[in-house]
């Protein structure tokens, strides 16, 4: 259940002085098979609405690109202007169709070199076709300001945002 609420920064022995700790990994060991086990209406997968990938919602077997999709959502909340689906009435339909508000970096982050490249890399994480999302290495390189080849993907959502977050329901 990857989402900002399940990420913690803890002290670490590196240049930054901290490391990322993920929690709520209940089903990570089952990422190589289709999920028939929960009876969730539709795909069979559980998770937080607004953070499931298009392939999860289509009932397909998740892949590395599924985590890239969710990583893009997390980055848009951490360094962008918020969740790119928060203006959508039907988050699942918007996810499958690729209807997102294009990610714009926050003002203080927008001054970094190659900020347009980083915005494009994050937006490309939302491509409904997982084969057209950036690799983890390409996304890391974009975060580090390095030039990378990114498949162009222009989300089709409205450029205006409402001040509301997507409705989040915890799995039962």
């Amino acid at each position: 259940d990857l989402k900002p609420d399940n990420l913690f920064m803890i002290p670490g022995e590196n240049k930054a002085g901290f490391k990322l700790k993920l929690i709520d990994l209940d089903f990570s060991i089952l990422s190589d098979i289709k999920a028939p086990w929960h009876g969730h209406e539709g795909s069979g997968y559980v998770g937080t609405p607004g953070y499931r990938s298009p392939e999860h919602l289509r009932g397909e077997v998740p892949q590395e690109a599924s985590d890239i999709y969710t990583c893009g959502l997390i980055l848009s909340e951490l360094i962008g202007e918020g969740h790119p689906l928060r203006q959508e009435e039907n988050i699942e339909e918007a996810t499958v169709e690729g209807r997102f508000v294009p990610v714009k970096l926050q003002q203080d982050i927008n001054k970094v070199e190659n900020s347009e490249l980083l915005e494009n890399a994050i937006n490309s994480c939302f491509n409904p076709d997982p084969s057209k999302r950036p690799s983890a290495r390409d996304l890391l390189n974009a975060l580090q300001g390095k030039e990378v080849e990114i498949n162009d993907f222009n989300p089709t959502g409205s450029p205006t945002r409402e001040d509301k977050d997507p409705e989040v329901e915890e799995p039962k």
Side-chain angles (χ1 to χ4, degrees):
D1 193 14
L2 290 175
K3 60 184 176 182
D5 291 348
N6 290 341
L7 305 174
F8 288 93
M9 302 306 284
I10 61 173
E13 295 182 19
N14 56 32
K15 287 182 182 180
F18 57 86
K19 62 183 178 181
L20 183 65
K21 182 175 185 173
L22 304 175
I23 64 166
D24 197 1
L25 300 175
D26 295 345
F27 301 104
S28 61
I29 61 169
L30 302 173
S31 66
D32 60 336
I33 59 174
K34 191 172 177 180
W37 51 85
H38 287 292
H40 177 271
E41 190 175 320
S43 70
Y45 288 97
V46 296
T48 305
Y51 292 93
R52 289 179 268 186
S53 71
E55 45 279 15
H56 282 99
L57 296 172
R58 292 188 296 250
E60 300 167 3
V61 176
Q63 51 193 287
E64 283 185 33
S66 307
D67 288 339
I68 294 296
Y69 170 87
T70 305
C71 182
L73 292 173
I74 292 168
L75 288 171
S76 71
E77 289 193 77
L78 294 177
I79 63 175
E81 296 177 337
H83 195 292
L85 287 169
R86 65 182 175 187
Q87 89 290 351
E88 291 291 338
E89 293 295 320
N90 186 332
I91 290 175
E92 290 184 359
E93 181 180 292
T95 297
V96 172
E97 293 176 3
R99 249 187 4 247
F100 294 85
V101 172
V103 171
K104 289 288 186 195
L105 300 181
Q106 295 174 25
Q107 284 299 96
D108 54 336
I109 296 171
N110 201 23
K111 296 174 187 159
V112 301
E113 190 174 331
N114 288 333
S115 61
E116 186 175 329
L117 171 75
L118 181 54
E119 287 175 349
N120 291 340
I122 294 171
N123 282 320
S124 70
C125 292
F126 308 135
N127 195 312
D129 180 348
S131 70
K132 294 183 178 174
R133 294 181 198 142
S135 68
R137 173 62 59 196
D138 286 340
L139 193 53
L140 175 63
N141 285 337
L143 282 163
Q144 294 174 337
K146 298 176 185 173
E147 288 290 332
V148 293
E149 289 290 321
I150 298 292
N151 287 321
D152 286 337
F153 175 66
N154 297 312
T156 59
S158 165
T160 60
R161 297 178 182 270
E162 295 176 22
D163 289 327
K164 66 176 186 169
D165 290 326
E167 195 166 313
V168 175
E169 296 175 20
E170 292 298 322
K172 294 179 174 74

